[in-house]
């Protein structure tokens, strides 16, 4: 996985709503980090949760396996495989696995929330790295569009 800005190449993740996520046992794995967004796969163990949190970025979560309860700004909503939940930046949220199997989802942060190399086996490992400042989004993923265009990272012709 590259640590710098992504190349202008397709990133393909087959079976994201079926086979691939059901095989993941890691709490969090960053799959891809772009200039303006990030794709992360998460597995919440039976009885587990992601932690009550607030991000400074937008987040869209697609559930691929299991059942759970989402609490967004104090409002509860049951979630299951096939559901999509959007959490606007600055909004309190928590997701709890309420089922007998892992709650598996992929989430898209915009812009990135985690280090592009992040793999956390457990929630505790992720919490520790976040507290120690080891799981920060890359600086290049938080730059304004104008800076990326000036640096040649975004070309409206689509040719590089």
């Amino acid at each position: 996985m590259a640590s710098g800005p992504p190349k202008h190449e397709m990133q393909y993740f087959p079976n994201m709503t079926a086979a691939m996520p059901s095989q993941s046992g890691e709490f969090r794995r960053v799959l891809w980090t772009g200039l303006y967004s990030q794709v992360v796969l998460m597995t919440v163990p039976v009885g587990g949760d992601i932690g009550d949190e607030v991000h400074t970025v937008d987040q869209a979560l697609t559930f691929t396996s299991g059942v759970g309860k989402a609490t967004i700004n104090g409002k509860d909503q049951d979630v299951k495989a096939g559901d999509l939940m959007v959490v606007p930046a600055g909004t309190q949220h928590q997701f709890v696995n309420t089922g007998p199997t892992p709650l598996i989802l992929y989430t898209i942060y915009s812009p990135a929330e985690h280090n592009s190399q992040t793999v956390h086996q457990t929630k505790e490992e992720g919490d520790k790295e976040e507290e120690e400042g080891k799981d920060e989004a890359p600086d290049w993923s938080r730059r304004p569009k104008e800076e990326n265009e000036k640096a040649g990272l975004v070309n409206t012709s689509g040719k590089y």
Side-chain angles (χ1 to χ4, degrees), residues 42-129:
M42 295 187 73
T43 301
V44 183
V46 173
D49 63 73
I50 65 163
D52 192 19
E53 56 189 5
V54 176
H55 298 302
T56 59
V57 302
D58 292 327
Q59 184 177 12
L61 305 95
T62 300
F63 298 87
T64 64
S65 181
V67 295
K69 180 178 82 170
T71 303
I72 311 294
N73 199 22
K75 183 179 177 187
D76 292 337
Q77 175 66 53
D78 290 335
V79 294
K80 64 186 181 322
D83 289 351
L84 169 69
M85 178 72 63
V86 176
V87 181
T91 304
Q92 172 276 334
H93 60 283
Q94 166 70 296
F95 295 89
V96 178
N97 182 345
T98 60
T101 61
L103 177 63
I104 301 174
L105 62 104
Y106 62 92
T107 183
I108 298 174
Y109 295 101
S110 181
E113 175 69 11
H114 298 282
N115 182 296
S116 60
Q117 306 292 311
T118 290
V119 177
H120 296 138
Q121 297 299 319
T122 65
K123 178 181 179 300
E124 293 75 22
E125 179 185 358
D127 289 347
K128 183 177 185 230
E129 285 196 7

Side-chain angles (χ1 to χ4, degrees), residues 3 26-27 39 41 47 144 149:
S3 59
E26 299 151 339
F27 177 71
V39 180
L41 181 62
E149 290 167 3

Side-chain angles (χ1 to χ4, degrees), residues 136-159:
E136 300 295 320
D139 288 340
W140 54 260
S141 71
R142 297 289 184 105
R143 288 192 292 224
K145 287 174 42 176
E146 295 77 18
E147 281 186 43
N148 288 329
E149 290 167 3
K150 282 182 186 174
L153 297 174
V154 177
N155 182 334
T156 57
S157 75
K159 305 214 184 318

